[in-house]
């Protein structure tokens, strides 16, 4: 025991230093060496688990899907993260310097980890007894944000350091900065500096001022604590500290620093303003993309180009909104939206707090009435300004009693409003109207609904679509989802069926009364015309122009209900939605505005059934084309197909199942001919008379001779329609209540829907030359008597020109109208309970 003890004593005296400080130094070196060995082992273990950098590119960013018009104007953006990718060359140099001053002033000198910065931060935190100064470099933040979870563990921190070294080895400093500027979270769902510039200032990066750049540069460290919207005092303090650091680093001079720190806080929440208002179209796109691309939709950076024409879309939105507001004014004011008590001098902060619960609806601005004068009112608006509504903007507001009754006309402003009323204002933009009305008019959010859709009949491309007054008030898309009775808009299709049965535009059919008896007198059906008058034998051309119901009922009975319903399927109407009785002549079927516009397109394009589509192409984040629309085009050499095997008329995207755009790439899809060119020509000629001298005469204001169309009004004025077209464009407008109810007496298609159609077409047809209607070769023009429809001499006082398909110009017996019906074409005999009264 003593020998071993003496041996150990001799060994320590011989090989170890005698002084304690030397022993301590050896111990520290041993610990350091052990630590290095340990870290090396950890690095060797963790390095294989680090993610590869092969996919480290902009494609990994969660970039929202963007939807555009055909000419590239932005319609909508969908995504959980607001992000606008930019290249580093597009980032202002001063913004880069702001970020370096705030986050990593040694960025261009270290290799991923700033050891001097770590030591400096540790000493600062030790001295200040805090953890306020961090040491993460920009490269480490890129590593953390792209690849690593946010958990705070030692293994994650080590991985962050190792990954930073790896990134620095494989990427340039400029590439790292570009990733950082696009990826970093800056609060309020803004990812990347370009998105943050839009959210906080409504600007692009190049438009930012120095204090705004410094403000954004201060956000990565604490996006909530230093946020200018939620914590403005902290934000200003952080901004000014960054500006001081920029001055210390020589990035800015004293004058720039002084001016910047004295600049007031200018940040505010900016909703992204899209170039074109087409939210219903955007939602159609979103639904298709979810179906086709699932979870990639919101983060894959897709660029979806629609068929929408920007100019036409703006016109459609304005025309529909104006038409619905005009309807509301015709039927009176339903009263203010709410009321707030005002005592003494108005407290604007209180009014702002009240108005924040009211949103702008269809460009109508909410406000509170401050003062009521004899013939005007002063209103505090949601945007913080004071507006005056003059007497012309108020005097329309007779009280609404019901759809057919108005209250007395107001004589002074107090008859309409009182202080504290919460109302909506309509801005008057047209200079001519401003001269008459003033800059503002009292308005109300319409309770009535409407829709407008316009497409190109040559291929089905949807040019404009708006499914209601305000998408954010009601996302129900009435263009594609509202199945309503078409009313008299259905008559052209019945008349077209009659032409195929041998009738001509000069054929005469009686307009005498018809009574269909039921089990009791209350069940009798007595169709009648809008004018309440009865007509004798009437030419089909005149009957269509005047929209004569009794002629249409007799015509339908003559050709047969079953035949007419089957015939209408070729236009895209669904068989199950077509009643198999004589009420079909009055439009008791069910159809959406999209189905109606698609059906009228058959007349507009000369007889072809096209499929509406709304997506022109889909591109990925790098603008590689993923889908390209290949619409079915008219088959010029095809024979008439009575029952084409096509899906019902619903809008298709770029390459959806059932869409001709998805046809075999080697064999172009063709739209089948469902109507002879002669029939299409005669029907267009007859519907041109609807505008020249019929129920659509108001459209003459457009000053064009190439327009054709048809009004539609349903029983009890529940729906009002107008569908009209020329060779380049077909448009349908509809107005009605979502829960079917009467629009009020006189609210016909020509009075309620046609003005909307006119306002839209006035803009949409600008620059489109007129194309005269040219008859096919086997259509002849003869002189007939305007009363009898029979051929006559040119000197007949009642002579007129009429078109005929060759072979039909000679008067002959027609099925079910004159003489005995042709057994080969005879319809089912009319029910026994139909009796006629002849005038």
């Amino acid at each position: 025991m003593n020998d071993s003890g003496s041996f150990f004593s001799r060994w320590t005296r011989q090989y170890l230093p005698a002084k304690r400080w030397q022993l301590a130094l050896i111990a520290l070196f041993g610990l350091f060496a052990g630590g290095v060995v340990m870290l090396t082992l950890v690095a060797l273990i963790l390095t294989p688990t680090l993610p590869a950098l092969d996919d480290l590119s902009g494609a990994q960013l969660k970039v929202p899907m963007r939807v555009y018009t055909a000419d590239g104007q932005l319609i909508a953006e969908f995504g959980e993260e607001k992000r606008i990718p930019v290249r580093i060359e597009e980032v202002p140099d001063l913004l880069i310097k702001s970020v370096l001053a705030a986050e990593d002033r040694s960025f261009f000198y270290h290799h991923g980890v700033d050891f001097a910065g770590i030591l400096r931060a540790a000493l600062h935190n030790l001295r200040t007894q805090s953890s306020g100064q961090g040491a993460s470099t920009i490269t480490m933040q890129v590593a953390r944000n792209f690849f690593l979870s946010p958990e705070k563990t030692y293994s994650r921190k080590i991985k962050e350091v190792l990954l930073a070294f790896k990134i620095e080895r494989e990427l340039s400093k400029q590439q790292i900065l570009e990733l950082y500027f696009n990826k970093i979270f800056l609060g309020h769902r803004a990812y990347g500096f370009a998105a943050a510039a839009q959210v906080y200032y409504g600007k692009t990066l190049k438009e930012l001022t120095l204090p705004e750049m410094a403000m954004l540069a201060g956000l990565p460290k604490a996006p909530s604590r230093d946020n200018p919207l939620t914590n403005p005092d902290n934000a200003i303090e952080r901004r000014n500290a960054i500006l001081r650091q920029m001055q210390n680093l020589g990035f800015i001079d004293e004058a720039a620093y002084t001016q910047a720190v004295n600049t007031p806080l200018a940040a505010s929440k900016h909703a992204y303003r899209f170039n074109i208002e087409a939210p219903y179209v955007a939602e159609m796109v979103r639904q298709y993309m979810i179906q086709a691309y699932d979870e990639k939709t919101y983060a894959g950076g897709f660029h979806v180009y629609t068929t929408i024409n920007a100019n036409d879309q703006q016109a459609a939105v304005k025309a529909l909104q104006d038409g619905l507001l005009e309807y509301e004014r015709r039927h009176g004011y339903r009263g203010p939206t709410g009321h707030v008590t005002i005592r003494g001098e108005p407290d604007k902060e209180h009014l702002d707090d009240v108005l924040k619960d009211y949103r702008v609806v269809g460009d109508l601005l909410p406000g509170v009435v401050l003062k009521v004068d004899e013939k005007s009112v002063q209103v505090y608006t949601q945007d913080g300004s004071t507006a005056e509504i003059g007497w012309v903007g108020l005097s329309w507001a007779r009280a609404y009693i019901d759809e057919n009754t108005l209250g007395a006309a107001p004589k002074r402003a107090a008859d309409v409003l009182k202080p504290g009323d919460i109302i909506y204002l309509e801005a008057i933009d047209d200079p001519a109207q401003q001269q008459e009305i003033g800059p503002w008019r009292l308005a109300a959010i319409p309770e009535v609904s409407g829709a407008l859709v316009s497409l190109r009949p040559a291929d089905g491309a949807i040019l404009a679509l708006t499914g209601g007054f305000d998408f954010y008030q009601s996302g129900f898309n009435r263009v594609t989802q509202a199945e309503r009775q078409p009313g008299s808009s259905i008559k052209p299709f019945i008349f077209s069926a009659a032409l195929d049965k041998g009738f001509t535009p000069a054929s005469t059919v009686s307009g005498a009364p018809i009574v269909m008896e039921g089990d009791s007198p209350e069940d009798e059906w007595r169709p009648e015309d809008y004018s309440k008058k009865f007509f004798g034998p009437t030419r089909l051309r005149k009957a269509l122009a005047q929209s004569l119901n009794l002629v249409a009922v007799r015509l339908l009975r003559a050709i047969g209900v079953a035949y007419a319903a089957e015939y209408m399927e070729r236009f895209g109407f669904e068989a199950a939605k077509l009643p198999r009785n004589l009420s079909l002549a009055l439009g008791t079927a069910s159809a959406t505005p999209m189905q109606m516009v698609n059906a009228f397109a058959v007349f507009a394009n000369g007889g072809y059934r096209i499929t509406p589509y709304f997506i022109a192409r889909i591109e990925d984040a790098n603008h590689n084309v993923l889908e390209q629309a290949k619409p079915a085009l008219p088959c010029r050499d095809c024979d008439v197909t009575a029952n084409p095997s096509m899906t019902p008329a619903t809008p298709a995207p770029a390459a959806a199942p059932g869409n001709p755009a998805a046809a075999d790439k080697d064999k172009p899809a063709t739209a089948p001919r469902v109507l002879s060119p002669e029939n299409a020509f005669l029907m267009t000629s007859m519907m041109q008379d609807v505008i020249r001298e019929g129920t659509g005469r108001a459209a003459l204001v457009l000053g064009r001779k190439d327009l054709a169309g048809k009004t539609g009004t349903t029983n009890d004025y529940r729906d009002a329609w107008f569908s009209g077209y020329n060779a380049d464009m077909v448009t349908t407008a509809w107005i009605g209540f979502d829960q079917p109810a009467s629009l009020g007496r006189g609210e016909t298609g020509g009075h309620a829907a046609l003005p909307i159609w006119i306002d839209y077409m006035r803009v949409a047809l600008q620059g489109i030359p007129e194309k005269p209607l040219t008859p096919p070769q086997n259509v002849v023009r003869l002189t007939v008597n305007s009363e009898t429809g029979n051929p006559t001499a040119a000197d007949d006082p009642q002579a007129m020109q009429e078109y005929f398909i060759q072979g039909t110009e000679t008067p002959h017996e027609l099925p079910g109208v004159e003489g005995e019906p042709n057994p080969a074409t005879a319809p089912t005999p009319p029910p026994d309970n139909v009796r006629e009264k002849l005038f």
Side-chain angles (χ1 to χ4, degrees), residues 455-461 601 604-605 608 610 631-634 636 671 727-729:
L455 59 78
R456 188 166 55 226
D459 64 354
N605 64 30
Y608 300 94
I610 45 86
L633 300 177
R636 301 296 178 185
D728 297 295
M729 186 177 299

Side-chain angles (χ1 to χ4, degrees), residues 46-57 60 143 146-148 163 166-167 170-171:
L46 293 181
T47 297
T49 68
L50 295 178
L53 302 188
D54 296 339
D55 298 326
L56 191 60
S57 63
Q60 281 192 303
F146 265 91
F147 294 109
L148 303 175
L163 191 55
K166 186 175 183 179
I167 290 172
E170 299 188 23
L171 299 179

